[in-house]
Amino acid sequence: MNPKAGETPDKLQRRLTARNLADFRLCPQKYLLSVLVTPTDTRKFIGGPAVLHRAMRQALVNCYQRGGPQEVPVETLLELFEQNWEGNLCADSLEETLLHARGIETLTAYYQAHHDQANQTIAVDLPLNDTIEGHEFVAVADRVDRDESGLITLLRYKSGSSLPGPGALGKDVSAGLLLLLGTRHYAPQPCQTAIYALRRSRLTTADIDEAQLERLRQQIVTLASELRSAEEFPVRKGQHCRWCRSRAQCPAWASAHYQRGGNR
């Protein structure tokens, strides 16, 4: 069964995130399943890398809520990681051991790189909500910094090994939506958005000027309009299916052949 937008108004009409827009563009069914799936199903199919990211991100959020590495000892940061680590959600004990060790190593390196730097953080885990051309959006900044000049940096953590350059990041819908909402929230202070790659200890700032931000705004509004007006959410199969967390619920894969392990 492929529900229509009107059949599930509460979930399908909620505030849109950049992930919603990306899922809809990639595969409308992926978007639909992502908003209809239960929290229990989400936990069941989250995967080890996502477990690691959530634990490291939450540990850093809690750390900065207490004053950051400048005020919190490294032992406390690692304890916060342990409190948020859900190793039982990993695929097996080997993945759990490897990812746990990576988390400890990554956070220790982060602490060593930041504990003696000036703390410029003004907000942590900040949700930004606003309406753009009739569509309600939400984005979350993992951390917000302000330097001596007053420039606001809306930062997100990334735990994966790949990292886009400034130009590629400047074309990213997620970075664009965060900057759009952050610019409105902190106006008239200038804003920029950035990714901090935890495994590489590298900060990458998105290359987004006013013209590019306007192009991203138009792209975001167009996607939102298409999503809101959609009555059907077809499956769009492709290489992305291999990593889709919703594949177990997807009608295109609910076959005996898939259950036997085919089409992987």
Side-chain angles (χ1 to χ4, degrees), residues 4-210:
K4 296 183 179 181
E7 296 175 355
T8 52
D10 292 339
K11 291 185 176 180
L12 294 186
Q13 300 301 322
R14 64 185 184 182
R15 291 189 181 98
L16 292 172
T17 67
R19 171 67 67 84
N20 294 151
L21 299 178
D23 286 349
F24 181 77
R25 179 170 56 182
L26 187 66
C27 173
Q29 182 68 201
K30 178 179 175 68
Y31 160 73
L32 182 67
L33 291 172
S34 73
V35 298
L36 297 182
V37 71
T38 67
T40 299
D41 288 334
T42 299
R43 284 178 56 83
K44 189 184 304 182
F45 297 104
I46 186 173
V51 169
L52 176 62
H53 175 78
R54 291 203 318 190
M56 290 197 297
R57 177 194 179 275
Q58 193 59 48
L60 288 169
V61 164
N62 295 152
C63 174
Y64 277 95
Q65 287 172 337
R66 302 182 184 193
Q70 299 79 8
E71 301 292 335
V72 175
V74 65
E75 293 81 9
T76 300
L77 175 60
L78 298 182
E79 181 181 344
L80 291 169
F81 172 72
E82 297 290 355
Q83 292 173 4
N84 291 284
W85 173 249
E86 297 180 280
N88 60 305
L89 298 180
C90 292
D92 50 43
S93 59
L94 176 59
E95 182 182 57
E96 179 180 355
T97 300
L98 292 174
L99 293 181
H100 181 270
R102 182 184 299 170
I104 295 295
E105 179 184 4
T106 300
L107 289 177
T108 300
Y110 181 94
Y111 184 90
Q112 293 172 347
H114 292 82
H115 78 279
D116 59 351
Q117 295 182 358
N119 190 348
Q120 299 178 325
T121 300
I122 60 172
V124 184
D125 196 19
L126 178 68
L128 299 164
N129 306 281
D130 210 335
T131 301
I132 303 175
E133 293 195 24
H135 301 291
E136 294 186 4
F137 296 96
V138 60
V140 177
D142 294 338
R143 203 174 84 222
V144 181
D145 293 348
R146 179 169 54 208
D147 67 14
E148 296 80 1
S149 70
L151 176 64
I152 299 290
T153 298
L154 306 152
L155 183 146
R156 282 185 177 142
Y157 298 117
K158 180 177 174 60
S159 57
S161 57
S162 62
L163 179 65
L169 187 58
K171 298 177 182 178
D172 181 66
V173 169
S174 179
L177 181 59
L178 181 61
L179 185 57
L180 281 169
L181 299 180
T183 297
R184 294 183 174 203
H185 181 82
Y186 285 106
Q189 299 176 77
C191 294
Q192 63 181 10
T193 186
I195 292 290
Y196 188 90
L198 293 169
R199 291 180 63 181
R200 297 190 181 189
S201 299
R202 183 187 303 174
L203 181 72
T204 300
T205 302
D207 185 8
I208 305 178
D209 58 17
E210 291 187 8

Side-chain angles (χ1 to χ4, degrees), residues 199-233:
R199 291 180 63 181
R200 297 190 181 189
S201 299
R202 183 187 303 174
L203 181 72
T204 300
T205 302
D207 185 8
I208 305 178
D209 58 17
E210 291 187 8
Q212 176 61 13
L213 187 60
E214 175 58 23
R215 286 191 288 270
L216 285 166
R217 189 193 67 80
Q218 293 176 3
Q219 183 180 359
I220 287 167
V221 169
T222 297
L223 280 170
S225 298
E226 292 175 357
L227 187 157
R228 291 304 194 202
S229 63
E231 295 186 350
E232 300 292 337
F233 298 85

